Amino acid sequence: MQGAQHSVRTSARTNRGRPRPLPSADRADERIAALARACRPGWSLPGQFYSEEAIYRADLEHVWRSGWLFAGHTCEIPKPGDYFTLEVGADPVIVIRGEDGAIRGLHNVCRHRGSLICTEPAGHSKRLVCPYHQWTYGLDGRLLACRGMPEGLDKSHFPLKQAHVRDVDGLIYLSLADVPPDFQSAHEMISSFASPQGFPKAKVAKAVDYLVKANWKLIWENNRECYHCNVNHPQYIKANFDHYNADDTPPHIQEQITAALLRTEQKRGSGSVTATHKRSGMTIFPDLEKNIWYSANRTPLVDGYVTESMDGKQVAPLMGGYKTAHIDTLRIRTLPNFWNHSSCDHGVSTRLLPVGPQLTSVRVWWLVNAGALEGRDYELSKLQPFWQLTSEQDWEICERQQRGINSSAYAPGPYSTYKEYNVASFVRWYLQSLTSPKNI
Amino acid sequence: MQGAQHSVRTSARTNRGRPRPLPSADRADERIAALARACRPGWSLPGQFYSEEAIYRADLEHVWRSGWLFAGHTCEIPKPGDYFTLEVGADPVIVIRGEDGAIRGLHNVCRHRGSLICTEPAGHSKRLVCPYHQWTYGLDGRLLACRGMPEGLDKSHFPLKQAHVRDVDGLIYLSLADVPPDFQSAHEMISSFASPQGFPKAKVAKAVDYLVKANWKLIWENNRECYHCNVNHPQYIKANFDHYNADDTPPHIQEQITAALLRTEQKRGSGSVTATHKRSGMTIFPDLEKNIWYSANRTPLVDGYVTESMDGKQVAPLMGGYKTAHIDTLRIRTLPNFWNHSSCDHGVSTRLLPVGPQLTSVRVWWLVNAGALEGRDYELSKLQPFWQLTSEQDWEICERQQRGINSSAYAPGPYSTYKEYNVASFVRWYLQSLTSPKNI
Amino acid sequence: MQGAQHSVRTSARTNRGRPRPLPSADRADERIAALARACRPGWSLPGQFYSEEAIYRADLEHVWRSGWLFAGHTCEIPKPGDYFTLEVGADPVIVIRGEDGAIRGLHNVCRHRGSLICTEPAGHSKRLVCPYHQWTYGLDGRLLACRGMPEGLDKSHFPLKQAHVRDVDGLIYLSLADVPPDFQSAHEMISSFASPQGFPKAKVAKAVDYLVKANWKLIWENNRECYHCNVNHPQYIKANFDHYNADDTPPHIQEQITAALLRTEQKRGSGSVTATHKRSGMTIFPDLEKNIWYSANRTPLVDGYVTESMDGKQVAPLMGGYKTAHIDTLRIRTLPNFWNHSSCDHGVSTRLLPVGPQLTSVRVWWLVNAGALEGRDYELSKLQPFWQLTSEQDWEICERQQRGINSSAYAPGPYSTYKEYNVASFVRWYLQSLTSPKNI
């Protein structure tokens, strides 16, 4: 095997070695596109979209391997060599901080014979060494050594495949696409909200993993409305206003909202409420027409609540640059896999990862100021319940919905124009993504 | 959204929202029809019929969602608002007694976004309230309230989808078909036998659920012959004659049968033995040519047995209208999912529900007179073993058979014309059902 | 049913009853053949070959039901009527010793309605009686009795289907092919090596079953190189030389090998080293060009080791015809499912059986001289660890590799020409097998 000739052939063959598009794959795409076109706007999707293997595979290609995914927090990997791993569908990825301090995303797949390289959920390493034959990569993914291979082998042809990564004020985003969609406007928008929260100087007080027996879209549809909150989320509705909507907000509630906005303005200072949600009902998100798959805003809490805890009382020291507890809740969400509710004293991040047509892995993190000490500055028993309960209530809802949708008797139903406008928008965004040319 | 316009579009779109027949589905139907035509009469089916996903889906359409299914007993839901749930394949259904006392079958799928409504195996409710957004249905399935939807929404367009239901002297039958097959003659026939048993005034002493790792047809084929009884059912054959057949009934056995018939006639009164099976071997069932998918008869027990218990002695008070214990056993069976053996003092119902190509859910109920008190009038330890043992012996047989059939070396074999005539008839009936236009 | 007519139709219908080749099956074959042609020689296979259901089914047909499989040892079934069972994919098979002392392979599928006949992993029986309807077969598979079938039934048409079986000095080989490939040369070659080990007079000291979550080919590729040994097999490399290769064998290691060869020759006598591997690196196997899917040789151990135990010291009495412990290790391997390492005092057999695209059942046996008594002549705690550890280390490697290969980012990588030549040969052999006309 000649080295020079070898390397030329390598790049040519990398494509040839991959599964080639098969005629049947094209037919599957056409079939799915036809199903998507037949969907009725403002109604829930036909059952296949929530259950069928072929559509799940299309979701992986057109959504999950095309867009920007939330991966985790920079504070989880503070030092060079710190890493964590995740799986997007069947794609294992390493998120690692390099010698240069930059965070990178590397496919956790050795270029030799495909073994996983990092097998732990998180760790620290000076080099990435494949446990099979010790091919050794730098923290930037470059192949440094592959003892035993012919000398002519050009190591520059075998780096770990890279994912695109962005650090948005402590939130790590990842794209598996060859050419990812624009991130600049999302970056600026999220950053302007996340910056005062101080995520880079936070620490993970707790993280819980869930395996939810529901399609990932059902979890989003659940997230995009508070029509279900009154009965299902007794804790959440005590703290928040957004279960009220255009059709059922009594005047005294709107007055309470206005009063809450005023309180915050007085405590936090003038001009601070610019991007605060001022009315009942959820903010508009997503927005297909404006290509908005990300958003952030502040939302007032009810009187007596300075944080999303069971009794509304502060449960940890102030985070980031906050001087007062009265800052409303910060909310960030990005499609297809992230939302965050942050109060003055703690932040809660939720990340979805697809596992199968009817299975989604969800991680929920509770973050506090890095200097806070458990037992002294905060108790998990006070920090966790609000979002643990609310999250678990939602997973149960989604699993029940999945079971009903699997019925041959299921048929799409209409979304409420008052309360489920964001669900309709989500479905529109999804169908557009599904039928767009993929980035991979 | 305009109300009037809305409702017109609703009904039009309900069809469009459902999965449309795909070219590949047609090809699958043709392929299955060709396989069915190639089956040799009087021989067991080729392996695919017992294992393949595509044929399982065809079974669901052509058999399970086309015919009449046994669901349960009226005595399980005596009061308005009482309900139980079941799943036919992936189709969850509620069987509920209405304010008017009538029993209805409702698809357990909210018309809004498809959530399960009733999540418990059984219960009582004045209204059916979806746990997701509290869409509220009457016990007859009508949508009564959907707080939060636009006012123009015509609630009459969103009832819970109905299944057809029949109450046959306490036995509840269900059809998921749009236009179910005729039930009248089945109703009359079963009723004439079931009536004296008094199922409406029975109670469930015990119910056991099994998950059997075998195709549902293997369980039927097992049920349709007693060729396997001699070795596999030591308890059953002590009480019954039907493991004897045309080829191996010695004269003294036929004499015992005749004597048993005479005994019953003397005890129970003249004319009562009209529909009693008078010879060895099983009664003929099913009968494709006469379109018979239901049947009932009485069968004599051996001398010393008045009931199907371990020692033949009565284990509970007389049921229904019986004045004497000497009434032979009552047997009812309906395809595709029910059989019942009832003696003077208790009845045993068996219900099959398909779960997958190689997985069947089976429930066995033991029923006694509603007035009977456990501990005083009956003991489960005497009531249960006869049919618990016999049933579990059969499930084990079917699981072994499934494993052998999965082999690439399996080939159809011949049924005994003496002992397996009913199995051959069952297969004929099945193939006819599979290739008939579906009712759904 | 007329006997004569019956039997004619039987054989005709046996073929008609089997699944017929469908147009889609042909297309699948073409697609797989095209994928195989596109594979780059000397590189690992594209991901589908290790994960896809359709290719797994093709592997079953073209490899597992076409070639010769190791089944077990004659010493496991010493007496007429002794048997053990195994499953090749979904095909259950009985390996049984007949009245005539000959060993036969019988499909464990009743010719009546397909039930499993033997349900235990091993046992002893004078007749093979189906537990369903007691069809009774001789130990040679002939149908002896089928009480209850019409008299015209020609029993000679319903023997248990046979597999081909060969006894190679105590190693039992099986072929499920109608016309198996030539075995003569394999038989002679293996026999010449296995003969002195005395497998027929061995006994199983221990057997362990593993379910490895990896495609069977990954387990072979792991077996076909020692590139991974240095780091992964600390026990193995202390005893052996074959982790050294053409590129990294220092002169003093080649001197040690030569010295080891000399030692053995002196102890064991002249001429005995004819088929001993005399250099570093693994022997060449398989060899597609020479149609070699079997091989055997002896390999020297390092100074101080007379057996593959943790400290190299003898752990059981000498086996077979050995007069000295200094006999090098005997190694036998046959594709697609067997390898054996035997030392002077014990032998270790490894058998693979496919369970699914990403699941393989592996059994490892430890054999010692039949006369050896546990506690007196050997201790499992000394006999087992060397190969138990080495095996389990390999299964873990293969499972990690499977997970990485499942990634959409996996792409084939190059094999080392120094260290992975046998892996490249295995892949060549596999692709040739996959695209050859099948024997079944």
Side-chain angles (χ1 to χ4, degrees):
Chain A
M1 201 185 292
Q2 293 290 326
Q5 190 182 356
H6 178 217
S7 43
V8 172
R9 286 164 65 207
T10 303
S11 43
R13 287 302 290 241
T14 301
N15 285 331
R16 291 175 61 192
R18 291 194 86 177
R20 297 187 301 172
L22 303 165
S24 62
D26 288 342
R27 279 201 299 273
D29 279 355
E30 281 168 33
R31 185 178 72 88
I32 291 172
L35 287 169
R37 280 192 301 272
C39 291
R40 179 174 187 174
W43 289 53
S44 65
L45 291 165
Q48 302 112 300
F49 286 90
Y50 303 110
S51 59
E52 199 184 280
E53 178 70 28
I55 294 183
Y56 172 68
R57 283 197 301 265
D59 285 6
L60 288 180
E61 285 197 9
H62 291 269
V63 177
W64 291 90
R65 294 204 295 265
S66 288
W68 284 98
L69 312 177
F70 175 74
H73 308 85
T74 60
C75 68
E76 299 178 67
I77 47 173
K79 293 189 298 294
D82 286 349
Y83 69 86
F84 62 80
T85 59
L86 68 158
E87 287 203 28
V88 181
D91 292 3
V93 179
I94 307 162
V95 176
I96 192 162
R97 192 180 288 272
E99 305 286 0
D100 55 359
I103 294 172
R104 289 181 182 80
L106 303 170
H107 282 281
N108 192 2
V109 181
C110 184
R111 292 298 304 276
H112 176 216
R113 282 164 60 188
S115 175
L116 275 196
I117 292 172
C118 296
T119 57
E120 299 297 318
H124 176 87
S125 192
K126 290 195 178 306
R127 292 279 179 276
L128 296 173
V129 182
C130 177
Y132 204 160
H133 304 93
Q134 292 72 53
W135 280 34
T136 301
Y137 302 87
L139 302 185
D140 57 359
R142 276 184 305 139
L143 178 59
L144 302 178
C146 54
R147 173 192 62 78
M149 296 301 291
E151 287 186 18
L153 187 89
D154 184 342
K155 287 198 282 287
S156 72
H157 286 89
F158 297 96
L160 293 181
K161 291 190 180 178
Q162 298 244 356
H164 303 269
V165 165
R166 299 288 184 274
D167 166 3
V168 187
D169 284 78
L171 305 174
I172 304 171
Y173 280 87
L174 193 69
S175 177
L176 305 183
D178 282 349
V179 182
D182 175 56
F183 195 70
Q184 190 57 30
S185 52
H187 195 137
E188 286 167 12
M189 204 276 193
I190 298 167
S191 176
S192 70
F193 279 87
S195 175
Q197 192 71 32
F199 289 125
K201 298 198 168 170
K203 73 167 193 181
V204 175
K206 183 75 179 177
V208 178
D209 286 307
Y210 299 96
L211 205 51
V212 182
K213 293 196 281 283
N215 184 276
W216 67 274
K217 296 187 287 291
L218 294 181
I219 300 179
W220 264 112
E221 296 180 20
N222 170 268
N223 174 272
R224 291 293 73 222
E225 46 92 357
C226 214
Y227 185 7
H228 69 277
C229 293
N230 279 345
V231 167
N232 288 286
H233 297 313
Q235 298 79 22
Y236 183 86
I237 60 170
K238 283 173 71 177
N240 284 287
F241 291 110
D242 52 3
H243 54 297
Y244 292 107
N245 285 277
D247 64 324
D248 63 1
T249 308
H252 75 277
I253 293 295
Q254 185 56 53
E255 282 163 26
Q256 288 179 22
I257 295 172
T258 307
L261 293 167
L262 193 62
R263 270 198 308 278
T264 307
E265 189 167 11
Q266 287 168 343
K267 300 269 183 178
R268 206 173 51 182
S270 164
S272 65
V273 290
T274 322
T276 297
H277 187 51
K278 292 175 177 148
R279 304 196 57 77
S280 63
M282 295 176 81
T283 55
I284 303 292
F285 175 78
D287 188 329
L288 173 66
E289 290 66 35
K290 298 183 182 155
N291 194 28
I292 299 299
W293 51 270
Y294 55 88
S295 84
N297 64 274
R298 290 186 175 276
T299 301
L301 293 167
V302 305
D303 196 12
Y305 278 75
V306 296
T307 187
E308 288 185 328
S309 67
M310 297 297 276
D311 59 5
K313 296 201 170 55
Q314 202 174 323
V315 291
L318 293 181
M319 284 184 80
Y322 297 136
K323 305 290 183 218
T324 169
H326 295 270
I327 53 113
D328 300 334
T329 54
L330 165 64
R331 293 159 180 218
I332 308 170
R333 69 288 286 183
T334 59
L335 288 171
N337 86 325
F338 178 64
W339 61 84
N340 177 292
H341 275 225
S342 288
S343 296
C344 61
D345 56 347
H346 75 288
V348 180
S349 291
T350 302
R351 180 191 73 184
L352 313 186
L353 291 172
V355 179
Q358 303 187 25
L359 201 57
T360 305
S361 167
V362 187
R363 173 170 290 180
V364 181
W365 288 262
W366 285 259
L367 297 125
V368 296
N369 195 302
L373 208 65
E374 189 181 345
R376 185 191 69 186
D377 300 320
Y378 68 94
E379 305 282 352
L380 285 179
S381 62
K382 297 200 165 175
L383 179 70
Q384 252 192 289
F386 187 96
W387 272 109
Q388 181 171 9
L389 289 167
T390 303
S391 299
E392 292 172 7
Q393 288 152 359
D394 280 331
W395 313 157
E396 200 178 324
I397 286 171
C398 294
E399 293 188 346
R400 280 197 298 257
Q401 190 186 8
Q402 180 73 57
R403 286 181 60 199
I405 283 177
N406 287 347
S407 173
S408 70
Y410 164 76
Y415 295 128
S416 167
T417 48
Y418 295 125
K419 297 177 187 295
E420 294 170 303
Y421 42 88
N422 278 336
V423 185
S425 299
F426 168 77
V427 165
R428 248 190 344 267
W429 169 86
Y430 163 70
L431 290 173
Q432 169 75 13
S433 303
L434 186 67
T435 51
S436 296
K438 51 205 171 205
N439 291 327
I440 56 173
Chain B
M1 201 183 294
Q2 291 292 325
Q5 189 183 356
H6 177 217
S7 43
V8 172
R9 286 167 63 207
T10 302
S11 42
R13 285 304 290 241
T14 300
N15 284 330
R16 290 176 60 192
R18 290 195 87 176
R20 298 186 301 173
L22 303 165
S24 63
D26 286 343
R27 278 200 301 274
D29 279 356
E30 281 168 34
R31 183 177 72 88
I32 291 171
L35 286 170
R37 279 192 301 273
C39 292
R40 179 174 186 173
W43 289 54
S44 64
L45 291 165
Q48 301 112 300
F49 286 89
Y50 304 111
S51 59
E52 200 184 278
E53 179 70 28
I55 293 183
Y56 172 69
R57 284 197 300 266
D59 285 5
L60 288 180
E61 286 195 10
H62 291 269
V63 177
W64 291 90
R65 295 203 295 265
S66 289
W68 284 99
L69 312 178
F70 175 74
H73 309 85
T74 61
C75 68
E76 299 178 67
I77 47 173
K79 294 189 297 293
D82 287 348
Y83 69 87
F84 62 81
T85 59
L86 68 159
E87 287 203 30
V88 182
D91 291 4
V93 179
I94 306 162
V95 175
I96 192 160
R97 192 181 289 272
E99 305 286 1
D100 55 359
I103 292 172
R104 289 180 182 80
L106 304 170
H107 283 280
N108 192 2
V109 181
C110 184
R111 293 298 303 274
H112 177 216
R113 282 164 59 187
S115 176
L116 276 196
I117 292 171
C118 296
T119 57
E120 298 298 318
H124 176 86
S125 191
K126 290 195 178 308
R127 293 280 180 274
L128 296 173
V129 182
C130 178
Y132 204 160
H133 305 93
Q134 292 71 54
W135 279 35
T136 300
Y137 302 87
L139 301 185
D140 58 359
R142 276 184 304 139
L143 178 59
L144 303 178
C146 54
R147 174 192 60 80
M149 296 302 291
E151 287 186 19
L153 187 89
D154 185 341
K155 287 198 281 287
S156 73
H157 286 89
F158 297 96
L160 292 181
K161 291 190 179 178
Q162 299 244 356
H164 304 268
V165 164
R166 299 288 184 274
D167 166 4
V168 187
D169 284 81
L171 304 175
I172 305 171
Y173 280 87
L174 192 70
S175 177
L176 305 182
D178 283 347
V179 182
D182 175 58
F183 194 70
Q184 191 57 30
S185 51
H187 196 138
E188 286 166 13
M189 204 274 193
I190 298 167
S191 176
S192 70
F193 279 87
S195 176
Q197 191 72 32
F199 289 124
K201 299 198 168 171
K203 74 167 193 182
V204 176
K206 182 77 180 176
V208 178
D209 286 307
Y210 298 96
L211 204 51
V212 182
K213 292 195 282 283
N215 185 276
W216 67 274
K217 296 187 287 290
L218 294 182
I219 299 178
W220 264 113
E221 296 181 21
N222 170 267
N223 174 273
R224 290 293 75 220
E225 45 93 358
C226 214
Y227 185 6
H228 69 276
C229 294
N230 278 345
V231 167
N232 288 286
H233 298 313
Q235 298 80 20
Y236 183 86
I237 60 171
K238 283 174 71 178
N240 284 286
F241 291 110
D242 51 3
H243 53 298
Y244 292 105
N245 285 277
D247 63 323
D248 63 0
T249 306
H252 76 275
I253 292 296
Q254 185 55 53
E255 283 163 25
Q256 288 179 22
I257 295 172
T258 306
L261 293 167
L262 194 61
R263 271 198 307 275
T264 307
E265 189 167 11
Q266 288 169 344
K267 300 270 183 178
R268 205 173 51 182
S270 165
S272 64
V273 290
T274 323
T276 296
H277 187 51
K278 293 175 177 148
R279 305 196 56 78
S280 62
M282 297 176 81
T283 54
I284 302 293
F285 175 78
D287 188 328
L288 172 67
E289 289 65 35
K290 298 183 183 155
N291 195 27
I292 299 299
W293 51 269
Y294 55 88
S295 84
N297 64 274
R298 291 186 175 276
T299 301
L301 293 167
V302 305
D303 196 12
Y305 279 75
V306 295
T307 187
E308 289 185 327
S309 66
M310 297 296 276
D311 60 4
K313 296 202 169 55
Q314 202 174 323
V315 291
L318 292 181
M319 284 184 78
Y322 297 135
K323 306 290 184 218
T324 169
H326 296 269
I327 53 114
D328 301 333
T329 54
L330 165 63
R331 293 159 181 218
I332 309 171
R333 69 287 287 183
T334 60
L335 288 170
N337 85 327
F338 177 64
W339 60 84
N340 177 292
H341 275 225
S342 288
S343 297
C344 61
D345 54 348
H346 75 288
V348 180
S349 291
T350 302
R351 180 191 74 185
L352 312 187
L353 291 172
V355 179
Q358 303 188 25
L359 202 58
T360 305
S361 166
V362 187
R363 175 170 289 181
V364 181
W365 287 262
W366 285 260
L367 298 125
V368 296
N369 195 303
L373 207 65
E374 189 180 346
R376 185 191 69 186
D377 300 320
Y378 67 94
E379 306 283 351
L380 286 179
S381 62
K382 295 199 167 176
L383 180 69
Q384 253 192 289
F386 187 96
W387 271 110
Q388 181 170 8
L389 289 166
T390 303
S391 299
E392 292 172 7
Q393 288 152 359
D394 279 332
W395 313 157
E396 200 177 325
I397 285 170
C398 294
E399 293 188 346
R400 279 197 298 257
Q401 191 185 8
Q402 180 73 58
R403 285 182 59 198
I405 284 177
N406 286 347
S407 173
S408 70
Y410 164 76
Y415 295 128
S416 167
T417 47
Y418 295 125
K419 297 177 186 296
E420 294 170 301
Y421 42 88
N422 278 336
V423 185
S425 299
F426 167 78
V427 165
R428 246 186 352 262
W429 168 86
Y430 162 71
L431 289 174
Q432 169 76 13
S433 303
L434 185 68
T435 51
S436 295
K438 50 208 172 205
N439 291 327
I440 56 171
Chain C
M1 201 184 295
Q2 292 291 327
Q5 190 183 354
H6 178 218
S7 43
V8 172
R9 286 165 64 207
T10 303
S11 41
R13 286 302 290 240
T14 301
N15 284 330
R16 289 176 61 192
R18 291 195 84 176
R20 296 186 303 172
L22 302 165
S24 62
D26 287 343
R27 279 201 299 274
D29 279 357
E30 281 167 33
R31 185 179 70 88
I32 291 172
L35 286 170
R37 279 192 302 271
C39 291
R40 180 174 185 174
W43 289 54
S44 65
L45 291 165
Q48 302 111 300
F49 286 89
Y50 303 111
S51 58
E52 200 184 277
E53 179 70 27
I55 293 183
Y56 172 68
R57 284 198 300 266
D59 285 6
L60 288 179
E61 287 196 9
H62 291 269
V63 177
W64 291 91
R65 295 203 295 266
S66 289
W68 285 97
L69 312 178
F70 175 74
H73 308 85
T74 61
C75 67
E76 298 178 66
I77 47 174
K79 294 189 298 294
D82 287 348
Y83 69 86
F84 62 81
T85 59
L86 68 159
E87 286 203 29
V88 181
D91 292 3
V93 179
I94 307 162
V95 176
I96 192 161
R97 192 181 289 272
E99 306 285 1
D100 54 0
I103 293 172
R104 290 181 182 79
L106 303 170
H107 282 279
N108 192 2
V109 180
C110 184
R111 291 299 303 276
H112 177 215
R113 282 165 59 188
S115 175
L116 275 195
I117 293 171
C118 296
T119 58
E120 298 298 317
H124 175 86
S125 192
K126 289 196 178 308
R127 291 280 181 273
L128 296 172
V129 182
C130 178
Y132 204 160
H133 304 94
Q134 293 70 56
W135 280 35
T136 299
Y137 302 87
L139 302 185
D140 58 359
R142 275 184 304 141
L143 178 60
L144 303 177
C146 52
R147 173 194 59 81
M149 297 301 291
E151 286 186 19
L153 187 88
D154 184 342
K155 287 198 281 287
S156 73
H157 287 89
F158 298 97
L160 293 181
K161 291 190 179 177
Q162 298 244 356
H164 303 269
V165 164
R166 299 288 184 274
D167 166 4
V168 186
D169 284 79
L171 305 174
I172 304 171
Y173 280 87
L174 193 69
S175 177
L176 306 182
D178 283 348
V179 182
D182 174 58
F183 194 71
Q184 191 57 31
S185 52
H187 195 138
E188 287 167 12
M189 203 275 195
I190 298 167
S191 176
S192 70
F193 279 87
S195 175
Q197 191 72 32
F199 288 125
K201 298 200 168 170
K203 74 168 192 181
V204 175
K206 183 76 179 176
V208 178
D209 285 308
Y210 299 95
L211 206 51
V212 182
K213 293 196 280 284
N215 185 276
W216 67 274
K217 296 186 288 290
L218 294 181
I219 300 178
W220 263 112
E221 296 181 20
N222 170 267
N223 174 272
R224 290 294 74 222
E225 46 91 357
C226 215
Y227 184 7
H228 68 277
C229 294
N230 279 344
V231 168
N232 289 285
H233 296 315
Q235 298 81 21
Y236 183 86
I237 59 170
K238 281 173 72 177
N240 284 286
F241 291 110
D242 52 2
H243 53 297
Y244 292 106
N245 285 277
D247 64 324
D248 63 1
T249 307
H252 76 275
I253 293 295
Q254 186 55 53
E255 282 163 26
Q256 288 178 22
I257 295 172
T258 306
L261 294 167
L262 193 63
R263 270 196 311 276
T264 308
E265 189 167 11
Q266 287 169 343
K267 301 270 183 176
R268 204 174 54 184
S270 163
S272 64
V273 290
T274 322
T276 297
H277 187 52
K278 292 175 177 147
R279 305 197 55 78
S280 62
M282 297 176 81
T283 54
I284 302 292
F285 175 77
D287 187 329
L288 173 67
E289 289 65 35
K290 297 182 183 156
N291 195 27
I292 299 300
W293 51 269
Y294 55 88
S295 84
N297 64 272
R298 291 185 175 275
T299 300
L301 293 168
V302 304
D303 197 11
Y305 279 74
V306 295
T307 187
E308 288 186 328
S309 67
M310 298 296 277
D311 60 5
K313 296 201 170 56
Q314 201 174 325
V315 291
L318 293 181
M319 285 185 78
Y322 298 135
K323 305 291 182 218
T324 169
H326 295 270
I327 54 113
D328 301 333
T329 55
L330 164 65
R331 294 160 179 217
I332 309 170
R333 69 287 288 184
T334 60
L335 288 170
N337 85 327
F338 177 63
W339 61 84
N340 176 292
H341 274 225
S342 288
S343 296
C344 61
D345 54 347
H346 75 287
V348 180
S349 290
T350 302
R351 180 191 74 185
L352 312 187
L353 291 171
V355 178
Q358 303 187 24
L359 202 57
T360 305
S361 166
V362 187
R363 173 170 289 180
V364 181
W365 288 262
W366 284 260
L367 298 126
V368 296
N369 195 302
L373 208 65
E374 189 181 344
R376 184 191 70 185
D377 300 320
Y378 67 93
E379 306 283 351
L380 284 180
S381 62
K382 296 200 166 176
L383 180 70
Q384 253 192 289
F386 187 95
W387 271 109
Q388 182 170 7
L389 289 167
T390 303
S391 299
E392 292 171 7
Q393 288 152 359
D394 280 332
W395 313 156
E396 201 179 323
I397 285 171
C398 294
E399 292 188 347
R400 279 197 298 256
Q401 189 185 10
Q402 181 73 57
R403 286 182 60 199
I405 283 177
N406 286 347
S407 173
S408 69
Y410 164 76
Y415 295 129
S416 167
T417 46
Y418 295 125
K419 296 176 187 296
E420 294 171 302
Y421 42 88
N422 278 335
V423 185
S425 297
F426 168 77
V427 165
R428 248 188 346 265
W429 170 85
Y430 163 70
L431 290 173
Q432 169 75 13
S433 303
L434 186 67
T435 52
S436 296
K438 51 208 171 204
N439 292 325
I440 56 171

